[in-house]
Amino acid sequence: MYKDYYVRRNGQWISLNTGKPFSGIVRSGNLYFNLTKDGRKILLSKPKPDPKRIVANLWLFENPKRRGFVNGLYYPFVTANGNTDIGAGIDMSKQTAAFRKEAQRGLTPQRMNQELYKRANEHLRKVDTALRRYTNYPDTVSPQIKEGLADLRYQVGSLGGYPKLLQSVAKGDLNGIQRESKVMFRNKNGQMQFDKRRYDARNSNYFYYRQGGMISSLMESIMPNTYKESRSGQMKREQTRRAAQKLQQKAKAIEPYTNVRNNISASLAKSNSLLR
């Protein structure tokens, strides 16, 4: 494997292997950084997803009333669609014979949570595997987005049918994520139906800027124009608000000139046109 080392000299990064200036994405240990032309070192890796939050939301999405919980144990129960589940949406028909036998005797809350955490962590690992087909830097994707992908995978079983969704994540395209994360299911009448309730819950809990910033910090550093085009309306409004605030502060500083209001209006119009 090719390795290089970099030092900061005269306000820029220098490759020790070539002796030439360097800028780009590098890995140090388990973290990714962007070394910029002006000598900055920007951490791109995001915090790891939290399986605890995934499990808590699984209960809210799959079984908020804790059906099947009798006398301190969880037992299989029949869902509204006629499936037999246990706990937070574990489909009994898809489990091993050993698990089905154990479930029939009842699972303690501790054993139930152990099973859910094991599955949440496995889905998170599979999310990283799926993302690697679309980006070399899955660690730069925000944790809440990965948690949302794990939740979707828990619901449908695989992300193989969602290539456009994974492409949107790799591009940092929030609108694309929301557009491509819709799930259809077969209801008790045998008809295909859009799962709007789970879709709305997923978008409220996962697919938005809970932690601020971008979905993937990598995208702004290597594809700034693409990222600007993909920003949500909310981010655009926030930019406009900040631009207006700066202009108002500037106007206050140069009072009492009579043309201040006209200058603000003209500047705001220019800012808005740049965001379209």
Side-chain angles (χ1 to χ4, degrees):
M1 178 183 291
Y2 175 80
K3 289 186 178 180
D4 200 353
Y5 298 90
Y6 309 93
V7 295
R8 192 157 30 198
R9 293 176 183 166
N10 300 322
Q12 60 182 174
W13 292 100
I14 304 297
S15 165
L16 292 183
N17 282 359
T18 66
K20 297 179 180 180
F22 172 86
S23 64
I25 310 301
V26 298
R27 180 176 178 177
S28 177
N30 294 322
L31 299 177
Y32 287 95
F33 296 88
N34 180 31
L35 303 184
T36 66
K37 293 181 179 180
D38 58 359
R40 290 178 297 146
K41 181 180 180 181
I42 302 173
L43 175 64
L44 299 179
S45 296
K46 295 292 186 72
K48 292 190 177 297
D50 186 1
K52 181 178 180 181
R53 200 161 78 91
I54 296 176
V55 170
N57 280 326
L58 283 177
W59 282 110
L60 292 176
F61 298 162
E62 298 278 359
N63 188 7
K65 295 183 179 180
R66 305 286 174 122
R67 296 180 62 194
F69 188 62
V70 181
N71 296 327
L73 295 174
Y74 286 99
Y75 293 95
F77 66 95
V78 179
T79 69
N81 293 333
N83 296 330
T84 299
D85 286 2
I86 186 171
I90 298 178
D91 188 342
M92 291 291 292
S93 68
K94 299 178 181 179
Q95 308 311 311
T96 64
F99 182 84
R100 290 198 298 269
K101 184 177 181 180
E102 180 185 7
Q104 292 297 335
R105 295 195 298 265
L107 303 180
T108 65
Q110 292 79 10
R111 178 68 182 91
M112 187 77 257
N113 274 325
Q114 180 188 39
E115 191 66 27
L116 290 172
Y117 272 93
K118 181 183 78 173
R119 292 164 189 260
N121 282 313
E122 178 62 19
H123 283 295
L124 286 171
R125 284 192 291 271
K126 295 293 185 180
V127 164
D128 273 347
T129 299
L131 284 173
R132 287 192 184 97
R133 295 185 60 186
Y134 301 90
T135 174
N136 292 325
Y137 309 101
D139 290 339
T140 69
V141 177
S142 291
Q144 76 270 19
I145 301 297
K146 287 188 177 182
E147 291 165 11
L149 293 174
D151 176 74
L152 190 148
R153 194 179 190 280
Y154 185 96
Q155 183 184 13
V156 302
S158 170
L159 294 176
Y162 292 85
K164 291 183 179 179
L165 171 59
L166 295 173
Q167 288 170 7
S168 295
V169 172
K171 292 177 181 177
D173 181 1
L174 179 63
N175 291 329
I177 290 175
Q178 294 173 334
R179 182 177 62 252
E180 301 298 336
S181 61
K182 295 180 179 179
V183 173
M184 304 295 292
F185 70 97
R186 195 174 299 279
N187 61 26
K188 60 183 178 182
N189 298 321
Q191 300 172 329
M192 295 305 294
Q193 181 178 330
F194 168 46
D195 190 350
K196 186 176 185 304
R197 173 183 171 275
R198 186 69 169 267
Y199 173 82
D200 290 342
R202 194 174 281 126
N203 276 286
S204 296
N205 285 276
Y206 294 122
F207 293 156
Y208 76 115
Y209 294 109
R210 173 181 290 275
Q211 297 184 6
M214 326 169 240
I215 294 169
S216 171
S217 57
L218 179 65
M219 298 313 299
E220 189 173 46
S221 63
I222 63 177
M223 298 178 66
N225 294 330
T226 299
Y227 180 72
K228 287 177 183 177
E229 292 172 0
S230 68
R231 287 183 179 178
S232 66
Q234 181 180 359
M235 295 294 286
K236 291 180 180 179
R237 290 193 295 272
E238 178 64 15
Q239 277 194 329
T240 303
R241 185 190 69 79
R242 291 181 180 178
Q245 189 177 43
K246 288 182 179 179
L247 289 167
Q248 288 170 353
Q249 292 172 350
K250 183 178 180 180
K252 187 175 180 180
I254 62 174
E255 285 180 347
Y257 295 104
T258 58
N259 62 345
V260 167
R261 182 173 298 177
N262 292 334
N263 289 339
I264 293 176
S265 298
S267 298
L268 281 174
K270 183 178 180 181
S271 297
N272 284 326
S273 67
L274 291 174
L275 293 172
R276 289 174 185 159

